[in-house]
Amino acid sequence: FMKWARLALSAGPGAPGPLFVMAQRLEIPASQALRDMIPADPRVINAYLYFLLERGDLEAAYAAASRLAETGSDKDRGGLLDTTGALFAGGRMADAVALWNRAVRAGWVALSTLDPAAGKSLASGHFGERPGGGFDWTYSLPEGVAVSRSETGGALCLEFSGRQPESCDLLSQPVPLLAGRNYKLTIHYRTPGIPAGSGMRWSVMPVAGGRPIYAGPLNSSEESSQQTFSFETPAQETPLKIVFSYTRATGSTRVEGKLWIEGVELTLVP
């Protein structure tokens, strides 16, 4: 079966899924299938990678993504970034960081490598036109919130129309942090036209959801300013993310105005 399947997968365009399913039904280990059945074709490797991700086989998906990094190009970055996110959410932080760093060093992602032990846990403190995924920023912009960017400097502008939902998460970035350590999150920003008590806040929370381990309101400032939030991570290694959100303050109308986020820093306290 393996030899025949490899020939079939090497033949060209076609739906490889049925062969993946057949191998699984024959109880062929994913590691063996990847070695003996999957040809050195990025298209097939990528398809097998997503097959493994859909089934939650993170160990095999990591191996498949590593092979994709060897044979593919930056056109295949989506598979690596999706695997990075799945590994991190699944608690395999070291594998997620290793795969991310591999993508960065290969030039597939134009952001920073990560090294949590050295305090490098933020892939990007600025905002640009990028595909997103992995350890990059994720935008979740509802109706009533418009986004724009500065032409230089990588600053992000969120403009609130007053018609946005009463509560919404707007930005997030997964961050591989050490367990039981203190960190400082510093935001460089300005809020022209937004009054005090706006309902904007920064949080640190588990990727899996639930209550934040830290949440603090963002002060209003007409001029460029910075605000630092201090927090401690859980005693056990936990996949975390930093989140910027808005919740209408009790007794107030929905906020209107602009928030310019000029930069974000995340520092491990010695």
Side-chain angles (χ1 to χ4, degrees):
F1 169 78
M2 301 285 275
K3 182 178 179 180
W4 171 80
R6 187 180 183 94
L7 289 173
L9 291 169
S10 301
L19 289 173
F20 301 159
V21 173
M22 190 177 298
Q24 186 179 53
R25 288 176 178 172
L26 292 172
E27 298 184 350
I28 297 172
S31 58
Q32 183 181 354
L34 185 63
R35 183 185 67 243
D36 298 333
M37 186 180 81
I38 306 300
D41 180 342
R43 177 188 65 85
V44 180
I45 298 171
N46 196 56
Y48 191 54
L49 170 60
Y50 279 102
F51 175 82
L52 296 169
L53 287 174
E54 288 173 2
R55 282 151 181 78
D57 190 343
L58 294 181
E59 183 175 355
Y62 176 61
S66 298
R67 189 173 177 199
L68 183 62
E70 295 172 357
T71 60
S73 67
D74 59 357
K75 295 179 182 178
D76 304 303
R77 72 165 64 89
L80 259 68
L81 297 182
D82 287 346
T83 307
T84 297
L87 289 167
F88 187 63
R92 300 175 67 104
M93 187 171 81
D95 288 344
V97 169
L99 194 59
W100 171 267
N101 288 344
R102 191 164 188 169
V104 172
R105 291 180 180 124
W108 293 16
V109 180
L111 295 176
S112 299
T113 56
L114 299 174
D115 184 354
K120 296 174 62 178
S121 296
L122 193 70
S124 175
H126 295 89
F127 305 86
E129 295 285 357
R130 299 188 297 265
F135 287 106
D136 198 3
W137 291 102
T138 295
Y139 304 88
S140 179
L141 301 176
E143 183 178 355
V145 181
V147 62
S148 60
R149 297 171 181 81
S150 61
E151 294 184 1
T152 60
L156 183 76
C157 178
L158 298 176
E159 183 169 4
F160 297 87
S161 66
R163 298 188 300 276
Q164 68 274 2
E166 292 197 348
S167 182
C168 50
D169 292 343
L170 299 168
L171 300 171
S172 66
Q173 182 177 150
V175 283
L177 303 178
L178 302 178
R181 296 295 298 272
N182 292 304
Y183 286 84
K184 290 183 178 181
L185 176 67
T186 300
I187 312 299
H188 301 265
Y189 71 102
R190 51 192 169 94
T191 58
I194 294 182
S198 63
M200 298 183 295
R201 71 174 187 172
W202 286 89
S203 306
V204 181
M205 61 190 307
V207 168
R211 297 183 63 180
I213 66 166
Y214 174 83
L218 184 68
N219 299 326
S220 296
S221 177
E222 291 287 329
E223 304 296 328
S224 291
S225 183
Q226 71 177 50
Q227 186 174 346
T228 297
F229 305 95
S230 298
F231 64 93
E232 183 178 0
T233 56
Q236 288 189 324
E237 185 176 281
T238 305
L240 298 170
K241 60 182 177 179
I242 54 175
V243 179
F244 173 72
S245 60
Y246 164 76
T247 299
R248 182 182 65 82
T250 303
S252 69
T253 58
R254 300 183 207 194
V255 71
E256 296 182 50
K258 295 181 178 180
L259 164 67
W260 280 96
I261 306 175
E262 299 166 345
V264 178
E265 298 174 27
L266 183 61
T267 306
L268 172 63
V269 179

